[in-house]
Amino acid sequence: MKFSLIDEPWILAQRVNGEVTQVSLLDLVRYAHELRAIVGQPATQEFAILRLVLAVLHAATRGPTTDSWSDMWRCDRLPVDAVGAYLDRYRERFDLLHPRAPFYQVAGLQTAKDEVFGLERLIADVPTGPRLFTGRSGEALRQISFGEAARWLVHAQAFDVSGIKSGAVGDSRVKKGKGYPIGTGFAGSLGGVFADGDTVRETL
């Protein structure tokens, strides 16, 4: 099985007419001038995905200089050919289900007891204890689409909470089956402020 974030729709985006749709990573860049914003549920998802897309844009244009960034600002569209070429070079790394290098994951990661946990470990607005203040429960916590899983994975890498977690096999820091805190995801210490343009192209 494959789920390519380059080609498969997974990013929630709002068109300029207000309609919300799902687009692939490449289509977000291709139609950025026609899209109003990336939509996050919660809003921190928007920031996490925006950072990912911005990193791809920087890498595709080889970390643009001030002049080339100014040139890009004056263009009507983002450099989709350059982004497409970059993504093709690293296509395997953008497969959510790749057997050896799944996107933003470690293949074969497991605890000593080979435990499996529910989606509340991935979905940030669902508590692991009593579910008093959440709009998601029951069937909505048993299964999600690959697209939603990708959004939450990007969010977890950016904002995952600190604390004691299940210890992974091979992690030298594990004591008695537990992994001890190393801090929040990187965006958790940033706050998350960005200039919001009229379109995704302007925002990027």
Side-chain angles (χ1 to χ4, degrees), residues 64-121:
T65 63
T66 303
D67 287 344
S68 62
W69 207 246
S70 296
D71 291 342
M72 200 183 304
W73 174 257
R74 286 190 289 270
C75 289
D76 292 336
R77 302 183 182 205
L78 294 177
V80 67
D81 291 342
V83 172
Y86 169 80
L87 291 173
D88 273 340
R89 264 198 319 276
Y90 299 101
R91 178 164 286 277
E92 275 195 346
R93 302 312 295 262
F94 286 87
D95 181 357
L96 189 67
L97 308 175
H98 194 279
R100 292 183 310 281
F103 178 79
Y104 266 21
Q105 302 162 84
V106 177
L109 189 68
Q110 64 184 61
T111 67
K113 295 179 182 177
D114 203 16
E115 299 158 292
V116 176
F117 299 99
L119 288 169
E120 66 275 1
R121 297 289 180 102

Side-chain angles (χ1 to χ4, degrees), residues 10-15 18-23 28 35-47 49-50 151 194 200:
W10 65 279
I11 300 171
L12 291 175
Q14 183 184 48
R15 300 184 193 277
E19 176 191 354
V20 175
T21 186
Q22 283 191 82
V23 294
L28 182 80
L35 298 171
R36 169 63 193 88
I38 294 169
V39 179
Q41 295 173 339
T44 44
Q45 245 184 33
E46 177 183 357
F47 183 70
I49 294 170
L50 186 65
R151 293 193 298 274
F194 62 90
V200 170

Side-chain angles (χ1 to χ4, degrees), residues 170-184:
D171 184 348
S172 60
R173 300 173 303 107
V174 172
K175 295 176 185 173
K176 296 182 180 178
K178 295 180 179 179
Y180 288 85
I182 57 173
T184 62

Side-chain angles (χ1 to χ4, degrees), residues 10-11 24-26 28-29 32 38 45-65 69 72-73 78-79 82-83 86-87 94 103-104 154 186 190 192-196 199-204:
W10 65 279
I11 300 171
S24 68
L25 182 53
L26 189 56
L28 182 80
V29 174
I38 294 169
Q45 245 184 33
E46 177 183 357
F47 183 70
I49 294 170
L50 186 65
R51 288 182 77 237
L52 169 67
V53 179
L54 191 57
V56 167
L57 187 57
H58 272 265
T61 55
R62 299 198 171 131
T65 63
W69 207 246
M72 200 183 304
W73 174 257
L78 294 177
V83 172
Y86 169 80
L87 291 173
F94 286 87
F103 178 79
Y104 266 21
V154 172
F186 187 71
L190 292 179
V193 176
F194 62 90
D196 186 22
T199 63
V200 170
R201 183 195 72 81
E202 286 189 5
T203 300
L204 288 166

